[in-house]
Amino acid sequence: MICDCGFMIENKEIVLCFQSPITNRQSPMIKVVTTLAERVTHSPEETVLFGREIAVHLGPPCLVLLEGDLGTGKTTLVKGIVAGLGAASEDEVSSPSFTLVHEYGSAGRVYHADLYRIEGARDLATLGLEDFSSQAATVLVEWGEKLGDNAPIPCVKIRMEHLGSDNRRILIERVEA
Ligand code: ADP
Ligand code: MG
């Protein structure tokens, strides 16, 4: 999506997005991005605990996009979120970088995808993320930035950043149309 205009009102960022050359969306769209929380963690355990805190605020259907480089702690945070949702224990959660999607809990309540190896819209279509999103499920997507303008709205965006050593900055944003 081509976003060429953005401005902040308090903690909200209004972004005007024009028609995508890929999806051929017909009209300009306004996205409202609200910063919900920012946290710096100093260990994997602290990140897992923060994931549990985040889970309390997530109600299905909910799409959570996790963005950030390799090793920033996306999978670690997902462990806390999935455990906090009561779908599986932290140890049962692992990176779905080869299988692409993991399912936790009974009746497909939580899906965990990793788009690291996804290339192009066709690969993405095979994942069937829209099907998951249409269910009353929580869908957690690592490398969510790869969705680009295919990312459904509304969603929660979690941006993770390596601050050196064991320190990670975690920014939580809500994105609405
Ligand atoms: P990603 O999924 O983003 O590639 P992972 O969660 O798989 O990242 O890996 C993060 C790595 O960084 C793990 O080895 C973890 O032990 C380590 N780590 C060190 N400090 C932290 C922290 N504060 N939060 C999360 N992970 C951390
Ligand atoms: Mg990962």
Side-chain angles (χ1 to χ4, degrees):
M1 185 171 295
I2 306 157
C3 298
D4 69 345
C5 158
F7 54 93
M8 297 286 292
I9 299 175
E10 293 174 1
N11 69 340
K12 284 185 198 293
E13 183 186 0
I14 315 292
V15 185
L16 179 59
C17 305
F18 288 98
Q19 183 177 343
S20 154
I22 301 167
T23 59
N24 274 327
R25 269 197 192 116
Q26 291 307 307
S27 52
M29 242 176 48
I30 291 176
K31 285 196 300 184
V32 181
V33 183
T34 309
T35 303
L36 301 177
E38 186 176 353
R39 178 80 58 93
V40 174
T41 64
H42 308 91
S43 68
E45 293 76 20
E46 214 184 307
T47 296
V48 170
L49 280 179
F50 188 42
R52 284 180 172 271
E53 276 182 50
I54 293 168
V56 172
H57 302 282
L58 300 178
C62 182
L63 173 69
V64 180
L65 305 176
L66 295 110
E67 301 185 353
D69 290 341
L70 269 181
T72 47
K74 299 179 293 298
T75 302
T76 305
L77 189 72
V78 168
K79 283 174 183 280
I81 296 175
V82 171
L85 290 170
S89 72
E90 289 159 19
D91 294 342
E92 287 172 297
V93 176
S94 60
S95 174
S97 44
F98 290 99
T99 46
L100 301 180
V101 184
H102 285 170
E103 191 178 331
Y104 306 109
S106 54
R109 285 196 310 123
V110 180
Y111 296 98
H112 175 199
D114 189 326
L115 306 184
Y116 185 58
R117 289 186 164 73
I118 291 289
E119 283 175 26
R122 244 181 67 198
D123 271 8
L124 197 60
T126 62
L127 276 181
L129 278 181
E130 311 81 35
D131 300 341
F132 304 143
S133 307
S134 62
Q135 300 174 27
T138 304
V139 183
L140 307 160
V141 182
E142 296 191 38
W143 291 96
E145 55 268 61
K146 288 210 172 193
L147 283 176
D149 62 340
N150 293 305
I153 296 172
C155 61
V156 174
K157 214 179 244 195
I158 302 184
R159 292 202 267 157
M160 307 199 55
E161 194 186 339
H162 206 306
L163 295 182
S165 184
D166 284 352
N167 305 319
R168 307 287 191 273
R169 189 196 323 276
I170 305 171
L171 184 71
I172 318 275
E173 296 174 334
R174 184 174 56 222
V175 183
E176 297 162 292

